[in-house]
Amino acid sequence: MTTIIDQLEAPVRVNGNPGYEWTSPGSFDELDSTLENFFVENQQSQERTLAAKLPDEQKTFRLGEPLRREDQFEGIIGGSQSLREVFAQLKIVAPTDSTVLLLGETGTGKELVAHALHKRSARRGRPFVRVNCAAIPSGLLESELFGHERGSFTGAIAKRIGRFEMAHGGTIFLDEIGDIPAELQPKLLRVLQEQEFERLGSTQTIRVNVRVVAATSRNLPQMVADRQFRGDLYYRLNVFPIRLPALRERLEDIPLLVRYFTARYATRMQKSVDQVSIKAMNELLQYSWPGNVRELQNFIERAVILSPGKVLRLPLSELNQHNSLTDIPGQSSGSRLTLKDAEREHIIQALAETNWIIGGLKGAAARLGLKRTTLISKMQRLSISRALA
């Protein structure tokens, strides 16, 4: 008498599908599993066939799949060739104590890279201290970096430990190093070379063991040429430069980033958003992303807030509005100015009209409706000097 088990010794074909067969006796559990796999694959095949017939705005793909291991590195998301080259450089330099200079536009993830360098180094169990040199007023930056003694200046009512002392044994990340004032650059150079300094109001020399990772979105070589940045400090910082690509240079990473940020904010907001339309994704790929990954991250957060169901509802009209803002009348799309370039030309024009007088009632700052210090800061940020105008 032939049993079910005997029948399973011969190849079994389901609807002519040759992919399901046994070469040795099986069991009812194996049969159930095989049939279940077949019906799941058959259903998915039917879904793909139906989806192919839909218009692009109704076609979606799922965002719920986990990222592959090779598409992330210490929290940095991407699998493009340009980003893989950055990962390779990080793996080489991270175990050393060498100074690293991170170059790239705002929003490209320089702080994430600095964290990755710290976590991959022997200092990972020690402090990681971050300083944004552009966010601290120049008059307070020296005290912030090196500390001060009580009574060293008006308002110094107690001794303060500086960031370099806090980072002893670990890593200090000097973000926007190009904005550090000229009078403070020699003291920073000394710390980099000698690993020593004095607090404000003190003659006692303090020695530290700190690894420096610096970052800037500015053109430091041009600033050196304009004498806005010390050449010896630049060369001391430029031991191991790493350039981070802009998002428009690695468009293939956008679907990965959309998936990552959607899952992150959907979980935080307790939503079930896990799909995006193909048409919407194509719109994201055609946008230039001047704010880079930070702009995309904020955009996806807004989209998750606006999404009531499973499909990510992207406010694509915002991207179109931004593109229209960069359109200059009378210019072709290939010669459009960025907002940064337009601001730079506007300031240079005001300076030329005032014979490069910055302050005073008839100076460029008054004409532009800015404080004198604000205009000087903008000139430094935009690398404006009379020699280049």
Side-chain angles (χ1 to χ4, degrees):
M1 178 178 177
T2 303
T3 65
I4 291 290
I5 299 301
D6 294 329
Q7 295 174 10
L8 293 179
E9 293 181 3
V12 175
R13 296 175 183 268
V14 183
N15 287 348
N17 191 321
Y20 301 90
E21 59 181 43
W22 286 262
T23 56
S24 61
S27 67
F28 285 108
D29 290 339
E30 288 177 300
L31 178 60
D32 287 343
S33 176
T34 300
L35 291 174
E36 180 182 359
N37 290 339
F38 167 74
F39 287 120
V40 168
E41 290 184 12
N42 189 49
Q43 181 180 1
Q44 291 175 346
S45 176
Q46 292 178 5
E47 289 176 353
R48 286 192 293 269
T49 301
L50 291 173
K53 299 177 181 179
L54 293 172
D56 281 350
E57 57 268 21
Q58 295 182 30
K59 293 179 183 177
T60 64
F61 62 86
R62 297 186 182 278
L63 299 170
E65 293 84 356
L67 294 175
R68 298 179 303 172
R69 195 171 185 177
E70 57 267 32
D71 291 334
Q72 49 189 322
F73 179 87
E74 299 292 353
I76 308 167
I77 308 300
S80 60
Q81 180 60 36
S82 58
L83 202 58
R84 289 182 188 277
E85 291 173 2
V86 171
F87 295 164
Q89 290 178 298
L90 293 178
K91 292 175 183 177
I92 292 171
V93 74
T96 73
D97 279 337
S98 298
T99 301
V100 177
L101 179 60
L102 305 177
L103 306 168
E105 298 177 8
T106 299
T108 50
K110 293 188 284 290
E111 186 173 352
L112 276 178
V113 172
H115 271 288
L117 284 167
H118 178 68
K119 288 192 287 186
R120 289 269 176 154
S121 73
R123 298 173 180 266
R124 56 185 169 272
R126 304 293 294 172
F128 176 87
V129 178
R130 178 186 181 277
V131 184
N132 188 328
C133 300
I136 302 172
S138 58
L140 299 177
L141 186 56
E142 182 175 4
S143 171
E144 194 70 27
L145 290 174
F146 306 112
H148 63 254
E149 298 292 339
R150 179 181 178 182
S152 57
F153 56 87
T154 303
I157 59 176
K159 182 173 75 173
R160 179 186 177 90
I161 302 298
R163 300 292 183 93
F164 271 94
E165 282 184 80
M166 294 179 188
H168 179 64
T171 304
I172 188 168
F173 174 48
L174 302 176
D175 197 8
E176 297 300 343
I177 191 69
D179 288 277
I180 194 168
E183 63 271 16
L184 196 53
Q185 292 177 21
K187 194 166 185 176
L188 179 59
L189 177 62
R190 181 187 171 201
V191 177
L192 290 171
Q193 291 179 334
E194 309 295 337
Q195 296 268 296
E196 64 181 29
F197 60 91
E198 290 83 35
R199 295 195 196 108
L200 276 172
S202 173
T203 58
Q204 180 182 358
T205 299
I206 299 172
R207 294 195 60 82
V208 290
N209 176 10
V210 175
R211 184 191 193 172
V212 174
V213 177
T216 183
S217 57
R218 302 181 66 180
N219 187 340
L220 289 186
Q222 186 61 59
M223 292 181 67
V224 171
D226 296 341
R227 298 186 179 181
Q228 298 174 350
F229 199 86
R230 290 180 63 111
D232 48 3
L233 176 56
Y234 166 66
Y235 297 125
R236 188 63 187 82
L237 290 167
N238 199 42
V239 175
F240 196 95
I242 299 177
R243 180 185 173 276
L244 304 187
L247 186 56
R248 63 181 173 276
E249 298 172 331
R250 55 184 187 102
L251 293 176
E252 60 266 45
D253 288 335
I254 288 180
L256 292 173
L257 290 164
V258 171
R259 182 192 304 175
Y260 174 77
F261 290 131
T262 300
R264 177 177 174 180
Y265 291 116
T267 300
R268 184 179 299 177
M269 301 176 197
Q270 298 182 342
K271 291 192 172 188
S272 58
V273 184
D274 62 358
Q275 298 175 44
V276 66
S277 74
I278 292 177
K279 181 182 179 182
M281 183 62 74
N282 287 334
E283 292 278 351
L284 298 183
L285 293 171
Q286 293 171 14
Y287 181 61
S288 61
W289 298 107
N292 293 295
V293 179
R294 185 181 297 125
E295 182 184 5
L296 175 63
Q297 177 179 352
N298 295 337
F299 186 76
I300 296 301
E301 183 177 3
R302 286 197 299 279
V304 174
I305 294 172
L306 294 170
S307 302
K310 287 184 171 292
V311 179
L312 187 66
R313 181 178 293 177
L314 296 165
L316 297 174
S317 59
E318 293 184 16
L319 304 185
N320 297 329
Q321 289 173 3
H322 190 283
N323 281 333
S324 66
L325 286 175
T326 59
D327 289 347
I328 307 297
Q331 288 188 323
S332 65
S333 60
S335 60
R336 290 174 187 158
L337 292 175
T338 65
L339 292 177
K340 181 178 179 180
D341 291 334
E343 181 183 26
R344 189 176 191 275
E345 288 194 3
H346 187 51
I347 291 175
I348 290 175
Q349 181 180 354
L351 288 165
E353 292 172 353
T354 57
N355 197 26
W356 287 81
I357 296 173
I358 297 176
L361 295 176
K362 297 183 178 180
R367 178 167 295 202
L368 293 168
L370 301 172
K371 294 182 179 178
R372 177 178 174 276
T373 53
T374 302
L375 177 55
I376 292 173
S377 176
K378 284 180 175 289
M379 290 173 64
Q380 291 176 345
R381 178 172 58 83
L382 297 170
S383 300
I384 296 175
S385 69
R386 190 167 189 171
L388 294 176

